[in-house]
Amino acid sequence: MAEIENLEPDLEELRESYRSGKTKEASWRKSQLKGLLTLLKEQEKDIFKALEQDLGKHYAESYRDEVGTLTKSVNLALSSLKDWMSSRKAKLPIATFPSTAEVFPEPLGLVLIISSWNFPFGLSLEPVIGAIAAGNSVVLKPSELAPASSSLLAKTIPTYLDKKAVKVIEGGAAVGEHLLRCKWDKIFFTGNPRVGRVVMTAAANHLTPVTLELGGKCPAIFDSFSSSWDKEMVIKRVLGGKFGACAGQACIAIDYILVQEGFAPTLLELLRNMTKKMFGENPRETKSMARIINKKHFLRLKNILDDPSVQSCIVHGGGVDEDNLFIEPTILMNPPLKASIMTDEIFGPLLPIITLKKIEDSIEFINSRPKALAIYVFTKNETLKRRIISETSSGSVTFNDAIIQYAADTIPFGGVGESGFGRYHGKFSYDTFTYEKAILRRSLLTEFWLRFPPWNDFKLALTKSAYSFDYFGFLLVLLGLKIYS
C-alpha cells in the first residue's frame, strides 16, 4: 500500500519532466535508449536467472525471445531515431497556393505500460523502447506473477534510465486498479481479454487512447507434404511455435492444428518423433521447455486434461508434475469442440489436432470463431494461401513458419477484434506513442476571396470547380466563358 500512497508525487514528477521539454530532445531519447542497451548487456546473466526462477526458461530461449529481440529493437531505434523524428511534407491542392504543410510527430505525454508475465522483459521493454524513442515519460507496471523479473526491472531501470522520467511501479491488482484511475495520455496493455475490458472501461473515464495486446486461439493449418525434407522442416517449426515458446504460454503460440483427416496419422507420427528429438524423453530434466508460471495456471491446465472427454483424446504425453509445475508436451486428437480446450485460449503445452474432410474447410472453421492474433498456414498450395489472406481476418498470417513474425521490425504486431487492437514493433512502436500533428503555413500575399461572404452563384460555381480540382473549369468560370446556374 505504501507504493500507492507515494504514487501521486511520483506521477507529478513524471508530468513535470515531460512538461520541461527534456524528453522531447533527441539527445535525451538517445541517452535513454543507450541506457537500455547497457542494461541488457550488463544485466544479461541476472535476466537469465530471473526468467529461470519465474518460468524455468533455458538461458538460450531467454536470449532468443527476450534479450536478443530487445537488443535488436533498441539498436534499430537508435539508428532510425533521426528519421523517425523528422517531419514529412504533405501535398496541398493548387487552390491553397502559396502554402506549405507538414506532418510533425509529437510525443503523447505520460504513458502507462502494463505488461504480462510470460515474456516479462520482452513485453515490458519492447513498448518502453517505442515510448522513450517517441519522447514520452513512462510508467511501467510489470506483472506481479513473475516476481523475480518484476523485481529486477524495478531495481535496474532507475540505475540505467532517467528516474525522473521513467519509473517502474510494482504491485498486484490493487496497484493496477489505482493506476488505471489516474489520468494518462496513453495506456498500453498486454494481457487477457477480461482484464483488457477493465482497462478500456477505466480509460474511457479520461478518454485515454488505449493499445490492447490480447491473444486468443491461434490456429495452424497443416496441409499435406510429400517431401521428407519439407515434413521435417515444418514439423520443427510447428513444435517450436507451440512447446518451444514458453511452453505454449504465449499469445502467438499455436493453439490447435487443423489437418485433412487423411493426413492426420502421418502428422501425428511426425509430431511424436520430432517431439522426442527436440525436447527429449524427459523434457523437464533436459530443461528444453519452460514450466507453468504458477499453481493456479497449472491446475487450470490439469483440469482441462482431467475432463474425461478430453483425457480420452490424448495421443502423446499427458504427464504432469505438480511439485515442479511442469506438464510435458501433450498432443490430443479431435477433442470435443465444446470442451474448454477448444473454446478457451489454452496457454500451455497442450496441442489439439482437429481433422477436417478437406483442408479448405479450415477457412470456415476459423471464421466461425473469434478473430485470432495469428494464423499459421503450412502449405505449398498457392490457391489456399490466397484464400486465407482474402477470406479470413486475423492480426497476422504466417505461411510455413510460426512465431517468427514477432521478431520482424518491418511489419506491425497486433491483433484485430477480440485479439486486441493497436500495433507496435520497430517504427510501429514509435508511431503508437506518437501523435502526428498537422502543420499548415499560409502566405499573406494572395487570397481567394470566393471563400468569404457575401455569397452568390458565381462564388458557388468557382468553389465547385476548385473542390473538383477542375482548374480549367475554374478559369473558364472566372473569365465568364462558362455558364453557371
Side-chain angles (χ1 to χ4, degrees):
M1 290 300 121
E3 195 75 64
I4 294 179
E5 293 170 4
N6 296 327
L7 189 56
E8 288 307 322
D10 284 344
L11 295 186
E12 185 53 37
E13 183 178 46
L14 290 162
R15 291 189 187 99
E16 182 54 39
S17 290
Y18 178 75
R19 285 194 293 263
S20 72
K22 71 173 181 178
T23 67
K24 297 181 180 181
E25 298 295 330
S27 58
W28 183 88
R29 304 185 199 196
K30 287 181 179 179
S31 69
Q32 301 310 294
L33 291 170
K34 289 177 180 177
L36 272 177
L37 204 58
T38 305
L39 185 158
L40 291 168
K41 183 178 180 180
E42 294 183 356
Q43 298 296 323
E44 182 178 289
K45 289 184 178 179
D46 286 337
I47 291 172
F48 292 163
K49 184 178 178 181
L51 289 169
E52 197 282 329
Q53 189 175 333
D54 285 333
L55 288 152
K57 286 187 180 182
H58 191 281
Y59 58 84
E61 180 181 348
S62 295
Y63 187 87
R64 182 197 67 182
D65 294 346
E66 308 218 38
V67 176
T69 55
L70 289 169
T71 300
K72 171 185 62 64
S73 295
V74 177
N75 281 324
L76 175 68
L78 279 168
S79 63
S80 307
L81 190 60
K82 183 179 179 180
D83 181 56
W84 291 354
M85 290 179 65
S86 300
S87 60
R88 67 177 190 274
K89 292 183 178 180
K91 291 183 178 180
L92 291 172
I94 295 175
T96 64
F97 179 84
S99 299
T100 61
E102 62 182 309
V103 178
F104 181 76
E106 185 172 82
L108 294 172
L110 175 57
V111 303
L112 171 64
I113 296 170
I114 303 175
S115 65
S116 186
W117 50 262
N118 49 336
F119 296 89
F121 292 93
L123 296 179
S124 293
L125 298 181
E126 192 73 50
V128 166
I129 292 167
I132 288 174
N136 298 278
S137 53
V138 183
V139 168
L140 168 65
K141 186 203 170 296
S143 173
E144 72 279 11
L145 299 185
S149 299
S150 177
S151 177
L152 185 59
L153 285 166
K155 184 179 72 173
T156 56
I157 283 182
T159 302
Y160 290 89
L161 302 184
D162 180 354
K163 60 184 177 182
K164 291 185 177 182
V166 183
K167 292 186 183 294
V168 178
I169 296 178
E170 292 188 279
V175 171
E177 289 169 6
H178 188 84
L179 286 169
L180 289 173
R181 287 195 292 270
C182 300
K183 180 173 173 55
W184 307 92
D185 296 299
K186 173 84 176 187
I187 298 175
F188 188 105
F189 170 78
T190 304
N192 62 56
R194 178 185 62 80
V195 181
R197 290 181 174 89
V198 173
V199 171
M200 276 200 71
T201 301
N205 291 327
H206 297 290
L207 296 179
T208 302
V210 176
T211 291
L212 298 181
E213 295 292 338
L214 305 178
K217 297 182 75 64
C218 299
I221 300 169
F222 200 99
D223 202 359
S224 57
F225 289 87
S226 56
S227 161
S228 58
W229 170 266
D230 291 344
K231 289 176 184 177
E232 181 174 352
M233 187 73 70
V234 295
I235 289 296
K236 281 182 179 178
R237 293 175 180 180
V238 167
L239 294 174
K242 178 61 175 183
F243 306 127
C246 194
Q249 299 170 109
C251 59
I252 53 171
I254 292 173
D255 194 274
Y256 60 93
I257 295 176
L258 299 173
V259 65
Q260 191 166 315
E261 57 186 19
F263 194 71
T266 302
L267 172 62
L268 177 58
E269 189 62 24
L270 291 168
L271 288 171
R272 280 173 168 163
N273 293 337
M274 189 58 69
T275 298
K276 292 177 182 177
K277 287 182 181 180
M278 288 179 66
F279 301 99
E281 293 290 343
N282 190 329
R284 188 179 72 80
E285 288 186 359
T286 59
K287 296 184 178 180
S288 52
M289 194 175 83
R291 63 165 173 79
I292 308 306
I293 182 66
N294 57 29
K295 191 167 185 177
K296 178 183 177 182
H297 283 275
F298 176 89
L299 293 176
R300 177 185 62 82
L301 292 165
K302 184 174 181 296
N303 288 336
I304 290 175
L305 289 178
D306 285 344
D307 180 342
S309 65
V310 173
Q311 196 171 56
S312 62
C313 299
I314 297 174
V315 291
H316 179 82
V320 298
D321 180 351
E322 187 168 344
D323 291 336
N324 293 290
L325 301 178
F326 192 86
I327 298 177
E328 66 179 346
T330 300
I331 303 171
L332 307 95
M333 184 68 72
N334 285 321
L337 297 182
K338 292 185 178 180
S340 61
I341 195 170
M342 288 307 298
T343 58
D344 301 331
E345 185 177 10
I346 295 171
F347 229 68
L350 315 180
L351 180 59
I353 299 172
I354 304 297
T355 59
L356 305 169
K357 294 291 183 183
K358 300 182 300 179
I359 198 64
E360 290 78 10
D361 293 340
S362 58
I363 294 173
E364 182 181 352
F365 189 97
I366 289 169
N367 288 339
S368 67
R369 286 156 174 77
K371 295 177 181 179
L373 181 58
I375 296 175
Y376 303 111
V377 188
F378 295 86
T379 184
K380 289 188 170 182
N381 185 328
E382 295 300 324
T383 300
L384 179 60
K385 289 179 182 180
R386 288 193 294 270
R387 289 193 62 192
I388 292 296
I389 292 172
S390 64
E391 297 179 31
T392 65
S393 179
S394 60
S396 65
V397 177
T398 300
F399 293 106
N400 296 322
D401 211 331
I403 305 290
I404 194 73
Q405 78 276 16
Y406 181 84
D409 296 313
T410 53
I411 54 177
F413 181 87
V416 61
E418 290 188 27
S419 61
F421 52 82
R423 55 189 189 171
Y424 72 129
H425 287 196
K427 173 66 159 49
F428 301 101
S429 293
Y430 179 88
D431 293 340
T432 289
F433 293 100
T434 300
Y435 167 70
E436 292 191 328
K437 182 162 63 178
I439 300 173
L440 191 146
R441 296 179 175 88
R442 186 85 166 91
S443 171
L444 296 175
L445 292 176
T446 61
E447 183 57 88
F448 285 95
W449 43 267
L450 58 95
R451 67 192 182 114
F452 300 117
W455 305 119
N456 54 46
D457 291 341
F458 178 57
K459 287 184 177 180
L460 176 60
L462 288 172
T463 302
K464 284 184 175 180
S465 296
Y467 279 158
S468 301
F469 303 111
D470 180 10
Y471 298 120
F472 182 68
F474 181 92
L475 183 62
L476 291 178
V477 173
L478 187 65
L479 296 174
L481 302 176
K482 182 176 181 180
I483 299 174
Y484 59 88
S485 58

